[in-house]
Amino acid sequence: MSLRVYNTMSGKKEEFKPLVPGKVGMYVCGVTVYDYCHIGHARANIVFDIIFRYLQFSGYETTYVRNYTDVDDKIINRANERKISSQDLAEEFIQAFDEDMEALGLIKPTHQPRATEYIQQIIDINQKLIDKGMAYASGGDVYYSVDKFSDYLKLSKRNMDEMVSGARVAPGEQKHNPMDFALWKAAKEGEPSWESPWGAGRPGWHIECSAMSSSLLGDSFDIHGGGRDLIFPHHENEIAQSEGASGKPFVKYWMHNGFVNVDKEKMSKSLGNFFTIRDILKNYDAEVVRFFILSAHYRSPIDFSDHNLSEAQSGLRRFYEALEASTNAIEGLDSTGHSSQEGEKLEEKFREAMDDDFNTALAIAHLFDGVRNMNRLIATKKFKKKLDLVAQVQDLHATILRLGSVLGLYRSQPTEWLDKVKLKGLKKLDITQEEIEALIDQRLQARAEKNFSRGDEIRVELEGKGILLLDTREGTTWRLK
RNA sequence: GGCCCCGUCGCCAAGUGGUAAGGCAGAGGUCUGCAACACCUUUAUCAGCAGUUCGAAUCUGCUCGGGGCCUCCA
């Protein structure tokens, strides 16, 4: 079974065959750096993070480019509001972005170019398009003539006539056709600008991605990704620019992730229903956020809510509890002399799921099966003496960790993770760790005196406050209800 | 108005022609002084209607409901 990916261009799943066998070039539209990232950005970046990881896991030598758009109207406006320079604003939010991605446990792309580092390439594309008659300079601006590109709207599958009727020309724009879009904008007073054959100016939106992708991946490459909302106009315009300039096919597979919704509605700034990554991480562990996002298929919409995050946390906790139990169960038992096929079987299912357009939800379901399997083995009587079973648990344990890392999961020490999440949850309750431990001591005392009714009282009291006591051979511990 | 997506167990969520994965929550059981964890058992015919087919959650049509893009947006 080989990798199949859903291509927005064809609207179907296609067998994945890179341009150069064994190698993949992937470009993902990053952020415009003028504000903090929200959970929608988190989803897009996590989705392509695991696509990157899985391509590498599958043996592809992958070059992953994710840009920063650091020159743009929104940046200029925001910088003016704050009375700082665009560069300082961009710098501030590039740093914030990097911190957020690091916190979410993303691995770094191969290249993270900035639009302002590619001004010359942007100018070159403009010139090439003008030379070919596909773009025109007009009053210091440069516009793309969409009617010169017959494939325009092939990605978003829209109808030009109807688009035109709804298109508007902003005041000051000098377009021949309302659907034309700016490749280069003449600088206004106080805006960042660069010298060009058309006077001082700055790039339009879209063109920077054409410049950075061709510079780092070539005129044609394998995968181009981003959120669904980028299909039109951003990606459509990129195609027009890049194919118009190079005369070659731009991208082989277009991949778009679904939205994050809040109460079934798209999250957006205008609705005011967005959550920043930073705020979410105050209440939930980063891995919980990742687990939540990967528990649905990347193209489906997901509903962000406290309830859903909590469920994700419960699910992840199951993994960590199993990992903790298996770590303890196989501790000190090295080579058993027995072989096991359990890991191999699990990996096969995992690959099958991931090969089917990165079906992380199914892949995780298989890992859950692995967990149950492992727990069942450990619960066997005289487990440690049955070396064939020990071998299977060792195999499953290692495989779950290895496959989990392809999803960026289970990277923490189980006990540490469980404690961390527990203490984070405790903050919401009306009791402290010290109080719990004091009560545990009292209960221990009572039980030592065979005063079970007092012991049960304490259990019930703590349960009322959201704390469950666990009696084990090593003593009594607690967890959140 | 144009284009597009979705509606699967209480909740989350896979499954795109061959007879419904998984998780959370619930019930019963084993274990436990009592519990918890873990394990075992158990819970759906897929919004509705009409078709195509030997066979459909999966294809077609219609209806109802929800959402997205068409202006900046992951």
Side-chain angles (χ1 to χ4, degrees):
Chain A
M1 184 74 178
S2 57
L3 180 60
R4 293 161 57 75
V5 304
Y6 181 88
N7 189 348
T8 306
M9 187 63 86
S10 66
K12 289 191 267 239
K13 282 183 198 170
E14 298 176 14
E15 194 178 333
F16 182 69
K17 284 190 182 148
L19 266 13
V20 179
K23 292 190 180 184
V24 177
M26 175 163 84
Y27 185 93
V28 174
C29 290
V31 285
T32 299
V33 282
Y34 73 104
D35 205 345
Y36 291 112
C37 288
H38 53 63
I39 180 76
H41 296 109
R43 184 181 195 189
N45 284 286
I46 286 171
V47 162
F48 287 100
D49 180 64
I50 65 100
I51 289 174
F52 179 40
R53 288 174 195 252
Y54 188 67
L55 287 170
Q56 293 185 107
F57 180 71
S58 300
Y60 292 106
E61 190 185 308
T62 307
T63 305
Y64 173 25
V65 180
R66 184 183 64 208
N67 72 287
Y68 300 100
T69 294
D70 61 346
V71 53
D72 164 89
D73 290 351
K74 290 191 290 294
I75 295 173
I76 293 168
N77 292 340
R78 184 63 56 88
N80 288 343
E81 277 167 35
R82 288 181 49 185
K83 299 188 180 9
I84 59 176
S85 72
S86 297
Q87 291 93 313
D88 286 350
L89 184 85
E91 197 56 51
E92 179 183 332
F93 286 108
I94 283 174
Q95 209 178 319
F97 176 88
D98 288 347
E99 285 166 14
D100 288 346
M101 294 307 127
E102 162 109 39
L104 288 171
L106 302 218
I107 49 180
K108 283 207 167 38
T110 319
H111 302 288
Q112 298 186 83
R114 302 178 182 198
T116 53
E117 294 165 343
Y118 288 81
I119 299 295
Q120 189 54 51
Q121 289 87 336
I122 289 170
I123 291 172
D124 292 346
I125 294 175
N126 271 281
Q127 191 58 256
K128 201 178 274 181
L129 288 168
I130 290 176
D131 292 345
K132 285 184 154 188
M134 307 190 82
Y136 53 93
S138 178
D141 297 337
V142 177
Y143 295 100
Y144 190 98
S145 281
V146 295
D147 53 7
K148 296 281 166 54
F149 186 68
S150 59
D151 279 340
Y152 195 59
L153 304 181
K154 68 177 169 182
L155 181 69
S156 55
K157 296 161 185 64
R158 290 166 199 279
N159 178 298
M160 182 67 102
D161 296 335
E162 277 155 11
M163 297 285 302
V164 172
S165 64
R168 282 170 296 184
V169 179
E173 289 185 327
Q174 330 237 348
K175 296 177 182 175
H176 295 355
N177 176 330
M179 285 300 289
D180 291 349
F181 57 92
L183 298 171
W184 187 260
K185 296 181 174 185
K188 297 193 196 98
E189 189 59 35
E191 290 183 355
S193 67
W194 291 262
E195 276 311 313
S196 81
W198 316 283
R202 61 188 168 88
W205 184 38
H206 321 304
I207 187 75
E208 82 283 13
C209 285
S210 287
M212 289 183 270
S213 62
S214 64
S215 297
L216 293 164
L217 296 170
D219 288 333
S220 301
F221 54 95
D222 302 294
I223 297 174
H224 193 132
R228 291 189 73 85
D229 47 354
L230 295 179
I231 294 173
F232 185 88
H234 188 56
H235 289 333
E236 197 69 70
N237 290 356
E238 275 187 56
I239 294 171
Q241 294 159 350
S242 294
E243 297 195 349
S246 73
K248 298 176 198 161
F250 180 39
V251 165
K252 195 160 180 195
Y253 304 96
W254 285 94
M255 300 184 68
H256 298 277
N257 65 274
F259 289 128
V260 176
N261 295 155
V262 174
D263 294 330
K264 310 277 182 193
E265 259 186 339
K266 178 191 170 183
M267 187 174 70
S268 78
K269 299 209 168 176
S270 53
L271 288 167
N273 59 349
F274 65 94
F275 297 85
T276 65
I277 293 172
R278 309 191 154 213
D279 283 342
I280 293 162
L281 292 184
K282 282 177 194 157
N283 291 317
Y284 292 97
D285 181 74
E287 210 172 318
V288 170
V289 175
R290 177 180 282 263
F291 191 83
F292 164 66
I293 285 167
L294 298 183
S295 66
H297 187 88
Y298 78 91
R299 281 187 283 118
S300 309
I302 49 173
D303 211 43
F304 177 81
S305 69
D306 218 44
H307 174 255
N308 289 348
L309 263 291
S310 295
E311 279 201 353
Q313 180 161 298
S314 298
L316 225 207
R317 186 170 63 195
R318 179 168 163 82
F319 276 100
Y320 271 119
E321 283 177 346
L323 253 12
E324 183 180 48
S326 54
T327 301
N328 294 336
I330 59 181
E331 198 175 24
L333 305 171
D334 295 328
S335 179
T336 60
H338 285 76
S339 66
S340 155
Q341 266 76 58
E342 295 303 313
E344 203 178 314
K345 284 193 285 196
L346 182 56
E347 178 168 338
E348 197 176 313
K349 285 185 173 176
F350 178 88
R351 283 183 186 273
E352 207 175 293
M354 291 298 285
D355 276 345
D356 187 13
D357 196 29
F358 308 98
N359 193 336
T360 52
L362 223 206
I364 287 173
H366 291 320
L367 294 179
F368 268 119
D369 286 337
V371 161
R372 197 200 306 119
N373 210 205
M374 197 163 68
N375 282 334
R376 188 187 293 143
L377 290 166
I378 294 170
T380 309
K381 284 201 170 99
K382 296 183 182 163
F383 165 73
K384 291 202 182 193
K385 294 208 170 122
K386 297 179 176 167
L387 293 185
D388 52 333
L389 302 192
V390 170
Q392 288 176 25
V393 169
Q394 286 173 333
D395 188 19
L396 279 169
H397 179 88
T399 304
I400 289 170
L401 285 178
R402 189 162 51 82
L403 299 179
S405 77
V406 177
L407 302 177
L409 295 172
Y410 328 134
R411 312 304 300 279
S412 308
Q413 287 300 314
T415 308
E416 279 175 27
W417 188 89
L418 291 166
D419 282 349
K420 184 172 65 178
V421 167
K422 200 165 76 169
L423 292 178
K424 218 165 186 168
L426 192 59
K427 284 187 200 153
K428 295 179 192 162
L429 300 180
D430 187 26
I431 190 165
T432 66
Q433 192 177 5
E434 288 70 31
E435 287 166 341
I436 295 170
E437 275 158 11
L439 284 167
I440 288 177
D441 283 345
Q442 279 183 36
R443 180 163 167 275
L444 215 60
Q445 187 73 32
R447 293 173 78 211
E449 293 161 4
K450 302 275 185 228
N451 185 355
F452 291 120
S453 62
R454 173 59 189 147
D456 288 351
E457 256 175 54
I458 292 172
R459 175 189 291 291
V460 171
E461 183 188 337
L462 281 171
E463 203 170 324
K465 293 190 173 178
I467 303 297
L468 289 177
L469 294 181
L470 285 67
D471 295 326
T472 68
R473 255 174 278 125
E474 289 78 32
T476 300
T477 58
W478 60 275
R479 53 164 280 191
L480 301 174
K481 201 172 174 181

